[in-house]
Amino acid sequence: MKEKKVNSNQLLMTILKGRTFIVLIILIVFFSIVKSNFLSASTLTMVAKHVALYGILGLGMTFVITTGGIDLSVGSVVGLIGMLAGGLIQEGLTLSFAGVTLYFSIPVIVILMLITGCLIGAVNGLIVTKLNVAPFIATLGTMYICRGFANLRSGGATFSNISGNEGLGNTGFKILGSNLAGIPTGVYVFAVLAVIGAILLRKVDFGWHVLAVGGNEKSARLSGIKADRVKILVYMISGFCAAWVGMINTAQLSAAHPASGDGWEMNAIAATVLGGTSMAGGSGTIIGTVVGAFVIGVINDGMTMCGVSEFWQKVIRGCVIILAVVIDQTQRNLQAKMALQARNENK
């Protein structure tokens, strides 16, 4: 009887670990039945674009949540980066004291935006570590600040001319939003960042430090890990990822709007938690986040194709996040129970 109970626990644990992939398969089958064109090339391309955006945000969020933090500012960073990049392309950088306007090449703009994303992340990290502000409050404040600056950049208007000018040497930004060999450029960026993220989290010391800080920060500090530095770096990674999303999204829309990315932090959190990263910290998986991003992308686009109201979509996304956290807690409790049983059997 005891052996049967152990086997059932192991089976349940296996199902819980593979829950995200199972849900993804069920969703694909469901929407392909409800909408016959769901698996068409055009629909899959659309889904892939959105999955890449949510997934890249989710990669940065994975590092943050693994340390026991949260980053609510990423959606606003997406909007701010888009406005900064769009402004540099359309208007350039005017130096009033010199009476000149500088126009940068696209590679330079990309580098400047990535640096900006990292700096915003560093500010978040410093507020959390040096000022001892709770991550939720710190990044909530940064969220409003970034959204405010995004609107101030153009007075709430849209930068619609981001094609650049050959004479100014700033053309080519739209490549980030185009397709290469039929696959959106964002998917390639997502794939590269996912591989790098997986290596960072599991194959180098930094990743183990991230897991250690999230698991038990006090013990991590006693073992010589510089927890504050680790936290600052994970927020910088999150800002870096958000900067990529801001540029890719702007290129896909062929315009920069200050409201871009509004609410996307919830998609990133949902993808991360669905993928198996624990909100309690100490446990994170890049592969899980990738699958989680696919689940969120399929849910969002599937519901849109089925004509589900945006209001109901928000309700469903909220339920998904709550359910993911409940299942994660169930898995953690079951793991603790199985570990206790194993110790008792070995006595």
Side-chain angles (χ1 to χ4, degrees):
M1 191 65 150
K2 180 186 266 188
E3 185 177 346
K4 184 181 290 188
K5 187 175 182 180
V6 170
N7 290 335
S8 63
N9 285 340
Q10 291 175 340
L11 176 61
L12 179 58
M13 180 60 68
T14 301
I15 294 174
L16 288 173
K17 287 182 178 179
R19 63 186 181 274
T20 313
F21 187 75
I22 295 172
V23 170
L24 177 61
I25 297 300
I26 293 173
L27 287 172
I28 292 174
V29 172
F30 172 76
F31 285 121
S32 63
I33 293 174
V34 175
K35 286 291 181 180
S36 58
N37 63 337
F38 184 76
L39 294 179
S40 64
S42 59
T43 301
L44 291 178
T45 299
M46 175 186 67
V47 173
K49 284 183 177 181
H50 296 155
V51 167
L53 296 178
Y54 304 149
I56 294 172
L57 286 179
L59 295 177
M61 193 68 73
T62 299
F63 282 91
V64 174
I65 292 180
T66 300
T67 62
I70 195 77
D71 189 354
L72 299 179
S73 69
V74 291
S76 295
V77 174
V78 169
L80 176 59
I81 292 296
M83 291 303 294
L84 293 177
L88 286 176
I89 295 171
Q90 185 169 313
E91 298 180 345
L93 177 63
T94 300
L95 302 178
S96 301
F97 64 90
V100 298
T101 300
L102 302 178
Y103 288 90
F104 302 96
S105 66
I106 296 306
V108 172
I109 290 176
V110 169
I111 292 173
L112 288 174
M113 294 304 99
L114 293 176
I115 292 174
T116 302
C118 289
L119 289 175
I120 294 172
V123 170
N124 280 331
L126 288 170
I127 294 173
V128 170
T129 57
K130 304 306 180 183
L131 300 181
N132 293 318
V133 178
F136 180 90
I137 300 300
T139 57
L140 179 64
T142 311
M143 177 183 76
Y144 283 111
I145 292 170
C146 289
R147 188 64 70 188
F149 276 123
N151 282 280
L152 286 169
R153 178 61 184 85
S154 64
T158 300
F159 288 123
S160 56
N161 181 22
I162 62 167
S163 299
N165 188 311
E166 290 187 7
L168 299 173
N170 63 349
T171 58
F173 188 74
K174 287 187 176 182
I175 291 175
L176 290 175
S178 63
N179 293 346
L180 296 177
I183 300 174
T185 303
V187 174
Y188 293 104
V189 177
F190 180 29
V192 171
L193 292 179
V195 171
I196 295 173
I199 293 173
L200 281 177
L201 194 58
R202 296 294 178 180
K203 300 298 182 180
V204 299
D205 289 343
F206 172 72
W208 297 113
H209 293 172
V210 169
L211 293 166
V213 170
N216 191 318
E217 184 175 339
K218 185 176 180 180
S219 296
R221 290 180 184 276
L222 291 174
S223 65
I225 295 174
K226 297 180 179 179
D228 286 354
R229 180 185 295 179
V230 170
K231 287 183 178 181
I232 292 172
L233 286 174
V234 297
Y235 282 103
M236 289 178 69
I237 291 173
S238 184
F240 177 85
C241 291
W244 269 116
V245 173
M247 290 186 288
I248 294 170
N249 180 61
T250 299
Q252 288 178 352
L253 297 175
S254 297
H257 191 277
S260 293
D262 185 30
W264 285 13
E265 60 277 355
M266 292 299 103
N267 289 323
I269 293 170
T272 303
V273 177
L274 276 172
T277 297
S278 175
M279 290 295 290
S283 174
T285 163
I286 295 297
I287 295 177
T289 297
V290 171
V291 180
F294 273 95
V295 170
I296 295 301
V298 170
I299 288 177
N300 288 349
D301 290 333
M303 288 192 297
T304 299
M305 290 182 67
C306 291
V308 178
S309 164
E310 174 63 25
F311 306 131
W312 276 110
Q313 288 188 35
K314 290 181 179 180
V315 171
I316 293 171
R317 282 196 288 268
C319 291
V320 167
I321 293 176
I322 293 173
L323 182 60
V325 173
V326 171
I327 293 176
D328 173 68
Q329 189 61 49
T330 301
Q331 180 181 335
R332 291 168 65 87
N333 291 339
L334 183 59
Q335 285 177 325
K337 183 179 179 181
M338 291 176 65
L340 180 61
Q341 288 177 344
R343 285 197 297 270
N344 292 335
E345 289 175 0
N346 292 332
K347 286 183 180 180

